[in-house]
């Protein structure tokens, strides 16, 4: 059961996920959570590092699609300045949003990766959808109330994961 929450990789931030390493692992597209993974609520324009990372992915021909549980209205407003395609109301931890985004790209399960900051939504959804995943640290520590509840339970899930998988650790990058 606990295995359903296990990320394939744990990397400090999305900026450390390099196109070269993605390609080495056969990954052709990145699906990503929005809130606290790509942008913080207090900086909807994204950091210069995010823009640099997006440009690097683009240059490498690796599409980036936002997979968010928020409404289309909220997501389109949030990504307007970033000019990113998205799937809204993705129903994470169900597989719906991830599978929709993957099929839109015409890729196999082994060819996409899901990035997110939450075990109980993003990582569970990735495992349910049968795709690899990257857990990143949340950009900021203040969350909406529903996320705060998840974070509370997440601590126990993380503890169980680390007990079962002692080798699980935060990595500098995918090959660390
Ligand atoms: Mg998030």
């Amino acid at each position: 059961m606990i295995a359903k929450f296990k990320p394939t990789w744990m990397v400090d931030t999305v900026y450390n996920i390099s196109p070269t390493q993605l390609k080495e692992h056969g990954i052709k597209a990145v699906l990503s959570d929005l809130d606290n993974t790509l942008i913080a609520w207090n900086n909807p324009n994204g950091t210069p590092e995010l823009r640099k990372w997006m440009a690097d992915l683009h240059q490498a021909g690796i599409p980036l699609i936002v997979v968010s549980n928020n409404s289309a209205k909220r997501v389109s407003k949030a990504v307007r300045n970033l000019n990113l395609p998205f799937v809204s109301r993705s129903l994470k931890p169900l597989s719906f949003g991830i599978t929709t985004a993957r099929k839109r790209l015409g890729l196999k399960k082994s060819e996409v990766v899901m990035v997110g900051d939450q075990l109980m939504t993003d990582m569970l959804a990735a495992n349910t959808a049968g795709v690899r995943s990257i857990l990143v640290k949340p950009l900021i520590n203040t969350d909406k109330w529903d996320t705060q509840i998840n974070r509370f339970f997440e601590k126990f899930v993380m503890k169980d994961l680390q007990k079962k998988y002692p080798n699980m650790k935060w990595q500098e990058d995918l090959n660390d």
Side-chain angles (χ1 to χ4, degrees), residues 33-38 92 116-118 121-122 143 147 151:
D33 171 52
L34 181 66
D35 290 311
N36 253 340
T37 296
L38 295 183
K92 293 176 290 187
D117 68 308
Q118 287 195 71
T121 53
D122 306 312
D143 283 309
T147 308
R151 296 264 181 236

Side-chain angles (χ1 to χ4, degrees), residues 6-25:
K6 188 181 181 293
T8 312
W9 294 281
M10 301 202 304
V11 176
D12 284 5
T13 145
V14 291
Y15 320 134
N16 292 2
I17 304 168
S18 82
T20 313
Q21 291 187 353
L22 288 170
K23 285 183 174 174
E24 282 170 22
H25 291 280

Side-chain angles (χ1 to χ4, degrees), residues 3-8 31 67 92-96 98-99 102 109 112-116 118-135:
K4 276 277 178 194
F5 296 97
K6 188 181 181 293
T8 312
L31 316 180
V67 176
K92 293 176 290 187
L94 301 182
S95 58
F96 171 76
I98 291 175
T99 303
R102 179 175 67 74
K109 289 177 182 177
V112 302
V113 71
M114 174 69 199
V115 184
Q118 287 195 71
L119 291 170
M120 294 175 69
T121 53
D122 306 312
M123 300 301 108
L124 182 53
N127 286 323
T128 307
V131 306
R132 285 177 284 177
S133 57
I134 304 171
L135 182 70

